[in-house]
Amino acid sequence: MATIEIENVECVSSSDAIEDEEIQSSVHVHPHNFPSKPQNTVSSGIAPTSVHELLECPVCTNSMYPPIHQCHNGHTLCSTCKTRVHNRCPTCRQELGDIRCLALEKVAESLELPCKYYSLGCPEIFPYYSKVKHEALCNFRPYNCPYAGSECAVTGDIPCLVSHLRDEHKVDMHTGCTFNHRYVKSNPREVENATWMLTVFHCFGQYFCLHFEAFQLGMAPVYMAFLRFMGDENDARNYSYSLEVGGNGRKLIWEGTPRSIRDSHRKVRDSHDGLIIQRNMALFFSGGDRKELKLRVTGRIWKEQQNPDAGVCIPNLCT
């Protein structure tokens, strides 16, 4: 089994004129190919948990990346936390100075580790310094809660978030691919940036979030409805939806592709990717004395199916 002799690692001050290749170290970690499904141990014989502990910052517990700093007693920490601890070692309270642990940085360069979402199904193996970039975009990473009425920090897979929306946010759940909702507001002139309603629909074995809200667009208050897909963007492209609102012999129709919940609610809203109704038009649709907002929004979701003979997509409508 490979061993790491920490006492023989030579760390030097970054102010010294010593080139990287002059650093002498007894640490030899050779990259190996991992199996397609990550196991509990790395093929080099070093347990992944041991490697993570070696490169884990004692302050923030995140993985350390160059520059990795150390005190005169050999305690290491990341560059972000070095400023947070006011240049004092959090372990022994000695002054940190400008000492870099170049050997530990070399160790990190030689490592290949599984994605941190391997337990969620990601089979990928990456060099240590490439891992973070991949993990920020990994398709297996948890989803953020799509509820827009609060800054909810809950993350998880789709079944977890569906239960969370139903139990914690009390969101209405519907089965089917058509909807017919009425939105009423007694004083439509009081418009603020706030979500009015979120409804979750289950159809085609997938979940969709229908948002409807009022917000200020420049100087004009508007109402907006749009659909988000509870899954990744590539899967969202397999579906389309339409929204319709009207009254007094007039109507507006929107058709589009639902956005993935990977895109935040605010990002979708600010891109105006949905049905937008100006307040004057909304009041016209409401009828009456224009003092109360009464909008009926209808719509449907369908799945696009590829026709191999014609090379075109045909809609698959649910009943």
Side-chain angles (χ1 to χ4, degrees):
M1 178 178 293
T3 60
I4 298 180
E5 302 177 18
I6 301 301
E7 64 271 13
N8 291 332
V9 175
E10 179 182 357
C11 297
V12 299
S13 169
S14 56
S15 59
D16 296 336
I18 300 178
E19 298 297 328
D20 286 356
E21 58 267 23
E22 295 178 5
I23 302 300
Q24 301 299 320
S25 171
S26 65
V27 177
H28 299 285
V29 180
H30 300 285
H32 290 263
N33 291 328
F34 285 78
S36 59
K37 292 292 183 180
Q39 306 296 318
N40 291 332
T41 57
V42 181
S43 57
S44 64
I46 302 175
T49 52
S50 300
V51 175
H52 282 295
E53 290 172 1
L54 180 67
L55 294 167
E56 184 181 271
C57 174
V59 178
C60 64
T61 70
N62 292 326
S63 297
M64 294 187 291
Y65 296 89
I68 299 175
H69 297 278
Q70 75 157 28
C71 72
H72 291 282
N73 292 325
H75 303 124
T76 57
L77 78 165
C78 70
S79 57
T80 301
C81 291
K82 181 174 183 287
T83 58
R84 293 170 55 189
V85 298
H86 306 292
N87 208 36
R88 288 283 177 183
C89 175
T91 304
C92 65
R93 310 306 300 169
Q94 294 294 316
E95 185 175 353
L96 288 170
D98 291 318
I99 304 174
R100 278 178 64 180
C101 192
L102 300 180
L104 190 55
E105 295 178 8
K106 290 288 187 181
V107 170
E109 286 179 3
S110 68
L111 295 177
E112 289 187 338
L113 298 174
C115 170
K116 71 177 180 179
Y117 302 120
Y118 74 93
S119 63
L120 300 178
C122 182
E124 301 295 337
I125 305 296
F126 291 92
Y128 183 77
Y129 293 146
S130 302
K131 231 167 66 75
V132 171
K133 184 177 180 180
H134 160 78
E135 289 168 353
L137 301 173
C138 179
N139 288 335
F140 292 90
R141 71 191 188 278
Y143 295 89
N144 295 320
C145 173
Y147 191 77
S150 63
E151 296 298 328
C152 184
V154 170
T155 62
D157 58 16
I158 299 304
C160 171
L161 290 183
V162 170
S163 298
H164 168 72
L165 289 171
R166 181 187 62 240
D167 300 336
E168 301 299 327
H169 295 298
K170 310 302 180 185
V171 170
D172 289 335
M173 301 282 173
H174 295 272
T175 299
C177 61
T178 61
F179 39 89
N180 186 339
H181 287 285
R182 192 181 187 194
Y183 302 95
V184 179
K185 187 173 178 63
S186 59
N187 189 350
R189 301 188 183 281
E190 293 179 359
V191 177
E192 56 186 16
N193 291 330
T195 298
W196 280 25
M197 184 175 291
L198 169 63
T199 308
V200 173
F201 292 88
H202 182 230
C203 57
F204 304 109
Q206 306 290 342
Y207 289 92
F208 300 83
C209 296
L210 176 63
H211 298 267
F212 187 85
E213 66 177 87
F215 67 98
Q216 202 79 18
L217 182 59
M219 298 298 293
V222 298
Y223 308 98
M224 183 175 180
F226 57 90
L227 194 73
R228 287 201 291 167
F229 174 75
M230 296 188 71
D232 285 322
E233 181 181 357
N234 289 338
D235 293 327
R237 295 194 186 106
N238 295 325
Y239 302 90
S240 297
Y241 74 102
S242 66
L243 295 172
E244 180 178 317
V245 62
N248 290 331
R250 310 289 192 275
K251 65 180 178 181
L252 292 175
I253 299 175
W254 165 270
E255 286 193 3
T257 301
R259 297 280 287 271
S260 165
I261 60 171
R262 293 290 190 200
D263 291 334
S264 69
H265 165 270
R266 181 176 293 274
K267 180 178 180 180
V268 178
R269 190 196 73 180
D270 291 349
S271 67
H272 307 159
D273 191 1
L275 176 66
I276 297 180
I277 314 160
Q278 301 291 336
R279 186 178 65 182
N280 288 340
M281 182 65 73
L283 292 174
F284 177 78
F285 289 155
S286 300
D289 54 8
R290 299 167 62 96
K291 292 182 179 180
E292 185 177 40
L293 181 70
K294 296 178 181 178
L295 287 179
R296 183 174 297 279
V297 178
T298 62
R300 62 186 178 93
I301 305 167
W302 65 90
K303 185 176 182 178
E304 302 287 356
Q305 287 188 329
Q306 188 73 28
N307 185 338
D309 298 326
V312 297
C313 288
I314 57 177
N316 177 20
L317 304 178
C318 66
T319 57

